[in-house]
CSV table of all heavy atoms in Angstrom, one decimal:
chain,number,residue,atom,x,y,z
A,50,GLN,N,12.4,-21.8,2.1
A,50,GLN,CA,11.5,-22.0,3.3
A,50,GLN,C,10.6,-20.7,3.3
A,50,GLN,O,9.4,-20.7,3.6
A,50,GLN,CB,12.3,-22.1,4.5
A,50,GLN,CG,13.1,-23.5,4.6
A,50,GLN,CD,13.9,-23.5,5.9
A,50,GLN,OE1,13.5,-23.1,6.9
A,50,GLN,NE2,15.1,-24.1,5.8
A,83,MET,N,-11.0,-4.0,-22.1
A,83,MET,CA,-9.6,-3.7,-22.3
A,83,MET,C,-9.3,-3.3,-23.8
A,83,MET,O,-8.7,-2.3,-24.1
A,83,MET,CB,-8.7,-4.8,-21.8
A,83,MET,CG,-7.2,-4.4,-22.0
A,83,MET,SD,-6.6,-3.1,-20.9
A,83,MET,CE,-6.3,-4.0,-19.4
A,85,ARG,N,-11.4,-2.6,-26.1
A,85,ARG,CA,-12.2,-1.4,-26.5
A,85,ARG,C,-11.6,-0.1,-25.9
A,85,ARG,O,-11.5,0.9,-26.7
A,85,ARG,CB,-13.6,-1.4,-25.8
A,85,ARG,CG,-14.5,-0.3,-26.1
A,85,ARG,CD,-16.0,-0.6,-25.8
A,85,ARG,NE,-16.8,0.6,-25.8
A,85,ARG,CZ,-17.4,1.0,-26.9
A,85,ARG,NH1,-17.2,0.4,-28.1
A,85,ARG,NH2,-18.2,2.1,-27.0
A,149,ARG,N,-16.7,20.5,-17.6
A,149,ARG,CA,-15.7,21.7,-17.7
A,149,ARG,C,-14.5,21.3,-18.6
A,149,ARG,O,-14.1,22.1,-19.4
A,149,ARG,CB,-15.2,22.2,-16.4
A,149,ARG,CG,-14.5,23.4,-16.4
A,149,ARG,CD,-14.3,24.0,-15.0
A,149,ARG,NE,-13.6,23.2,-14.0
A,149,ARG,CZ,-14.3,22.6,-13.0
A,149,ARG,NH1,-15.5,22.7,-12.8
A,149,ARG,NH2,-13.6,21.8,-12.1
A,208,ASP,N,-14.5,-12.0,-15.9
A,208,ASP,CA,-14.3,-13.4,-16.0
A,208,ASP,C,-12.8,-13.7,-15.9
A,208,ASP,O,-12.2,-14.0,-14.9
A,208,ASP,CB,-14.9,-14.0,-17.3
A,208,ASP,CG,-14.9,-15.5,-17.4
A,208,ASP,OD1,-14.6,-16.1,-16.3
A,208,ASP,OD2,-15.1,-16.0,-18.4
A,243,GLY,N,10.9,4.8,-32.9
A,243,GLY,CA,11.1,4.0,-31.8
A,243,GLY,C,9.9,3.6,-31.0
A,243,GLY,O,9.0,4.4,-30.9
A,293,GLU,N,16.2,11.9,-3.1
A,293,GLU,CA,17.2,12.8,-2.4
A,293,GLU,C,16.5,13.6,-1.3
A,293,GLU,O,17.1,13.8,-0.2
A,293,GLU,CB,17.7,13.7,-3.5
A,293,GLU,CG,18.7,13.0,-4.5
A,293,GLU,CD,19.3,14.0,-5.5
A,293,GLU,OE1,18.8,15.1,-5.6
A,293,GLU,OE2,20.1,13.5,-6.3
A,366,ILE,N,-11.2,8.6,22.0
A,366,ILE,CA,-12.6,8.3,21.7
A,366,ILE,C,-12.7,6.7,21.5
A,366,ILE,O,-13.6,6.1,22.0
A,366,ILE,CB,-13.1,8.9,20.5
A,366,ILE,CG1,-13.2,10.5,20.7
A,366,ILE,CG2,-14.5,8.4,20.1
A,366,ILE,CD1,-13.5,11.2,19.4
A,370,LYS,N,-15.0,2.8,23.3
A,370,LYS,CA,-15.9,2.0,22.4
A,370,LYS,C,-16.1,0.5,22.8
A,370,LYS,O,-16.8,-0.2,22.2
A,370,LYS,CB,-15.4,2.1,21.0
A,370,LYS,CG,-15.4,3.5,20.4
A,370,LYS,CD,-16.8,3.9,20.1
A,370,LYS,CE,-16.9,5.3,19.5
A,370,LYS,NZ,-18.3,5.7,19.3
A,454,ALA,N,-24.0,11.3,6.6
A,454,ALA,CA,-24.7,12.4,7.4
A,454,ALA,C,-24.3,12.1,8.9
A,454,ALA,O,-24.4,10.9,9.3
A,454,ALA,CB,-26.2,12.4,7.2
Side-chain angles (χ1 to χ4, degrees):
Q50 293 178 39
M83 180 68 82
R85 181 171 169 82
R149 191 164 60 250
D208 187 13
E293 292 179 352
I366 298 174
K370 295 294 182 177

